[in-house]
């Protein structure tokens, strides 16, 4: 929808309207896109190019000059050039001294060079004020004016005034500028666009690991076992039945895993008798990726729901039913209706549905735009209170399914307990611990600790602002 | 993803890079987190603490001094201290006079104190410029740099220049600063983080009330009735069948309730012959929580869908089917296929599915980030046009289900009409009224009224900007 | 949630707190709402009105004066007046000269007048500095302070300093201000709020066209055909069965259509041996609406899922099953279980479910707030890699359904191939082409081209910034 506003005809440099002149070295994608946007925002734009004549693709309204001439037109110069070509800039060290050089370059892989491109540029041109910025914004995003890719411009540099100039220009393009400190941060900024879901790695690995493990476990205890013992080939079950056994198990365990660290942290605080003791690193890391853990678990729960709902239209199932009906009719048994079975079966579904419903709610509230609108208390209410209720419902759902499986020897194939039983261990531990933690007596202590009270010194030093710590 | 950028190594105060020095009183969670972020943004940070030596947890790069020394280092001082400890500040009234004191404190419950903490601080230190800010941002959000909790910093204070300083510092941390006026607003700001979904209260109460009412109604007319009359124990039906009867009913009614106020408002405007007459308060309130009403209704519809889809895998149902088949076979009736039943049954499902589809669409467009990208006309098109179509489809869905239930005496158990019939009352009223309102003759008048025309004065005074009023 | 903060009691003009005085001409909805928000933000507000006495609805704290007096109180004046009433302003040309006049007006339809309202105003008052702004923000959004409608304020004007003043005032209201250049842009801005999902048009038309075509096709080959040949009336199938045949087909084709342009673009680049050659317009347009194409396809896939899941509770189906069982029993065949059928049937469902799961994931990541948080590489990973896998899974899902349909003459009704076969053409083409493009040899060339290499000149001129081009 945006576009109509951004793809506005470039206005050409009409003096009375310009926000000032900006120079861009390099006429590549990014240079051109940036130029277009700057023109639209009311700057007049001058490109510096080796071959000014060959400028077919440049946005109309922009001037093209030699680097030398271009450099003189403006205080601020965007370096839309590959690092390999930085050397040639040192030729203009005079003209560039005192200018604000914006290094927007990216590398092809992390830590490609010992020093960041920006620092390298700063070394080449010591008199210039190098600012690292715009490298996290894509040419495409600038061109289409779409909000589809990130609009955050991370800026760093050693000269404060230069940084401000760059941040202002970013804001005048409708982007969000974030000051990231000195040029030391350049390396981080150059690595940022190259990273691939760092916070999602761990949860994904956990998910894959658990899935693989339980998949093998189930194939063994169900497919292989039936084949060996009864000689029946149920291999086709791998595709749906086993999948629908494994996904919910992993989902439940991961849901539990994303509330476990909170419990551990609370216990640690109780043990330390203060909240001013750092948590071990592994716990901090764990707590930072709770959201991702939960969302992966939600995805698996979603698959579980779909897999369960297709059951009645599966060939295997309808065939099974048919056979069953026939056999029943043959030895015309009159099938009795068992009320308690109906109760358990229905509450099994009901618990699952309610659990999943809350689960989806949690997922929605973890959307950035939603969580930005709720205040801290509301956020914690949803993520903590509702979260634990979700865990409770899902665990109950699994318990009801076959709560007593572990009792029957027949269910132990090759002495292995049924997978569902294994899946219940972690969730139950979390729930029991949580239950203990919310008992009034324990809860009172934790609350006081979180308000800054320390066991040694009876009343808190005047050093907390009543801000809750997220657990 | 952010984090890698925010958790950047604190830079330490290297003069040439700093945005200036900022002082923080108090070394609690929030003080520390704020300090870290300020360092990362390029400020140099000085903590004021009673016991400067005990500063184990403070971000490296920050200085720790006594309050007295710290106060002198900076123009702006964040007071990360509990209200109870404000008195001690009066000791430094000299040093603090003319300084910008940022009160970031929160209370434990609404209106805990007669006057807001900020106003209390201002009274203690009349020469200082107190600004209330940052209390809506959580320590956790600052630490992790995550966008998970709100990034909006509401600022209020009596000195304009001081406010600007604080708002700039907020922006330089990548937060959104919103000026909320004079220090009178401090109380509001201090209550804000303590409120729990104020706009969701009413809709939730309505939902719970209706659910409870219809639940009892259905239990009576179905479970109890069958037990009393036929002596059959269908109690297990409570878990799924009744739930799946109640949820859709409440959902439909609430969907209707969220379009009723619009209709009422239009009628009022027609009656008043102007749009410049205020609506009664109850109507304004109602209209403000329409979105929440709709979303709660959507949640219930979602549950209804899941409950309906598990039907075929329920023990009760499959058993029922089996019994039916057997009985049919016994007295080997040849079951005739009824085309009209097929028509009604299929269109019943089709209407439901399409209705739910549109419903979900409405839900998605009401996500902040989505509704921020559509213009006013688009937003109204979706919320009003599509909304009414959704209501129409869902009502039709219910009508087709058993449109003629109310005709058969047999359906009146203990003279009570079937629940579905009751559920149709409100939606039908809304739809009929809406139908009348969109008839050309009526619509023309309303449109003119909304464009500023008033019945008394033939043509509008020059006082509207063509901005549509939301209905 | 916001509201409690915005609906704060207007503070009244207390000199020491004001950000300055702002004047508003016109006391309509928008004028009033704007006034209220400005008061809350700490401005003092003066309304200019023809009849200052009649100001019942104005926010308390605001002054009301005659236009003449009002104009003198402030440097910046919001013109909340219909274009038709602009003439009267020329009376005050003296008083208004040098003032910043903010034209916030909207029209009732696109290009209603030859020149934009703002330009018209500028012509009427040549000495004033006219700035177009705020017309994209709705009175309702300002009133309720809700984020439900767009918070973006597009600003354009010929005088830069004036523009800055207006943008600052917008920001102080917590809105996002975007500079759109000179007053030439005013027409665009005035049309913006009148447009209705421009980017969604094409995808919607495609969807409707395809749906209609395939609907007719299926009605012919299934309903009409059975009626003509067997004389059976299956008309009721239109409602669910046909719908559930058409939706997935259209969905699959559209999903393919949203990855086709990428493939074409790549081929073009290979052919041109450079990325610096513009794509034909139709391709650019196509690529800009890929996201919308994908989302429409997702919506249809969603309906397909629901339609498939209600199958077992349909009257037609259960009746069918019953008849089948009976017939089987009559000639008591003993039905054999076919392992290979089970395999195909189950993998059919499994592929569909996994495909849909990924599909939903794609949809979620295309939410603005989500895509704003991922960096460019992550965005492309999801949209390109996962996207193609989704297409692969969904195509496989359809293939497995009846991969060999086209082989059997019996399936060709009136010599027409089964619809599913037709639906597979486009997806298969896309997948095959993509497969060729990602073969190492081809891929290497494309990558080099996208990094700026051109066939003629062996090594790239120094004119690319390593920014990826979106394909």
């Amino acid at each position: 929808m945006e576009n109509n506003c951004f793809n506005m005809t470039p206005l050409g440099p009409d003096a009375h309207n310009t926000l000032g002149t900006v120079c861009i070295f390099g006429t590549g994608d990014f240079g051109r896109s940036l130029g277009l946007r700057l023109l639209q925002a009311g700057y007049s734009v001058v490109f510096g190019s080796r071959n000014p004549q060959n400028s077919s693709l440049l946005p109309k309204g922009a001037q093209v000059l030699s680097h030398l001439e271009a450099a003189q037109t403006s205080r601020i110069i965007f370096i839309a050039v590959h690092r390999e070509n930085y050397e040639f800039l040192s030729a203009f060290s005079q003209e560039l001294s005192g200018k604000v050089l914006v290094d927007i370059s990216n590398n092809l892989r992390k830590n490609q060079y010992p020093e960041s491109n920006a620092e390298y540029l700063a070394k080449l041109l010591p008199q210039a004020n190098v600012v690292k910025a715009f490298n996290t914004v894509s040419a495409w995003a600038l061109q289409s004016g779409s909000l589809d890719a990130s609009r955050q411009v991370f800026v760093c540099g050693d000269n404060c005034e230069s940084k401000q100039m760059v941040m202002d220009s970013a804001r005048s393009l409708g982007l969000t500028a974030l000051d990231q400190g000195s040029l030391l941060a350049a390396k981080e900024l150059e690595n940022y666009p190259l990273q691939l879901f760092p916070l999602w790695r761990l949860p994904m690995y956990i998910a894959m690991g658990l899935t693989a493990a339980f998949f093998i476990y189930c194939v063994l205890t169900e497919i292989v076992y039936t084949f060996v013992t009864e000689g029946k080939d149920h291999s086709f079950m791998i595709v749906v039945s086993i999948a629908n056994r494994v996904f919910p198990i992993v989902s439940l365990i991961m849901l539990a895993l994303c509330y476990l660290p909170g419990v551990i942290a609370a216990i640690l605080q109780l043990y330390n008798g203060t909240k001013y003791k750092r948590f071990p690193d592994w716990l901090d890391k764990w707590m930072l990726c709770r959201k991702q853990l939960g969302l992966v678990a939600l995805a698996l729960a979603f698959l579980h729901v779909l897999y369960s709902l297709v059951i009645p239209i599966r060939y295997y199932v309808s065939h099974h039913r048919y056979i069953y009906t026939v056999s029943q009719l043959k030895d015309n048994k009159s099938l009795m209706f068992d009320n308690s079975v109906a109760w358990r079966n229905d509450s099994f579904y009901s618990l699952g549905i309610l659990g999943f419903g809350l689960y989806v709610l949690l997922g929605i509230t973890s959307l950035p735009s939603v969580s930005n609108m709720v205040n801290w208390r509301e956020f914690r209410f949803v993520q903590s209170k509702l979260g634990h209720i979700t865990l409770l419902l899902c665990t109950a759902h699994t318990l009801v399914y076959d709560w007593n499986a572990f009792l029957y020897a027949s269910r132990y194939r090759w002495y292995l307990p049924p997978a569902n039983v294994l899946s219940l261990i972690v969730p139950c531990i979390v729930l029991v611990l949580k239950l203990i933690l919310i008992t009034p007596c324990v809860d009172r202590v934790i609350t006081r600790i979180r308000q800054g009270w320390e066991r040694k010194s009876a009343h808190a030093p005047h050093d907390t602002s009543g801000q809750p710590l997220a657990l």
Side-chain angles (χ1 to χ4, degrees), chain A residues 292-427:
Chain A
Q292 286 72 13
L293 273 170
L295 289 176
V296 173
L298 175 55
L300 293 172
F302 178 67
L303 291 178
H304 165 52
V305 169
L306 290 177
Y307 273 113
S308 310
L309 293 178
V310 292
I311 288 175
I313 39 177
R314 284 176 62 198
Y315 162 73
Y316 165 70
V317 175
S318 47
H319 179 275
H320 212 72
R321 277 204 183 142
Y322 169 75
I323 296 300
Y324 180 77
T325 319
V326 175
S327 65
Q328 292 292 330
L329 285 166
K330 288 268 161 58
D331 27 349
N332 65 65
K333 287 207 208 86
S334 71
L335 196 60
M336 278 315 299
F337 180 76
D338 181 340
N339 233 322
S340 71
V341 175
W343 260 105
R344 234 186 64 200
N345 178 272
D346 275 3
S347 36
F348 165 62
Y349 292 126
S350 215
L351 285 167
I353 290 171
L354 295 175
F356 182 67
L358 272 183
Y359 216 152
V360 171
L361 184 65
L362 288 177
I364 292 171
T365 50
S366 72
L367 285 171
S369 63
V370 176
S371 48
N372 278 347
M373 280 190 65
V374 302
N375 67 36
W376 186 243
R377 185 174 167 222
E378 295 164 330
F379 184 70
R380 292 201 52 230
F381 171 81
V382 173
Q383 292 303 330
S384 169
K385 290 247 188 341
L386 293 193
H388 284 99
I389 296 173
T390 312
L391 181 58
L392 187 64
L393 286 171
C394 295
T395 314
H397 170 68
T398 321
L399 269 170
V400 172
Y401 178 57
D402 49 1
W403 61 280
N404 51 9
F406 65 94
L407 296 176
Y408 300 107
S410 63
R411 299 292 304 276
Y412 290 79
R413 293 160 167 178
W414 292 328
Y415 309 107
L416 294 172
N420 305 324
V421 176
L422 297 179
S423 75
L424 283 166
I425 299 169
V426 190

Side-chain angles (χ1 to χ4, degrees), chain A residues 419-435:
Chain A
N420 305 324
V421 176
L422 297 179
S423 75
L424 283 166
I425 299 169
V426 190
C428 291
I429 294 174
V430 175
L431 287 172
V432 169
L433 288 177
K434 187 70 188 174
L435 206 67

Side-chain angles (χ1 to χ4, degrees), chain A residues 274-278 449-454 460-461 463-464:
Chain A
T274 172
K275 73 171 176 183
Y276 298 117
K277 195 146 173 305
R278 278 255 160 85
I449 288 180
R450 294 199 182 148
Q451 286 166 19
W453 174 86
E454 301 191 64
D463 59 359
T464 69

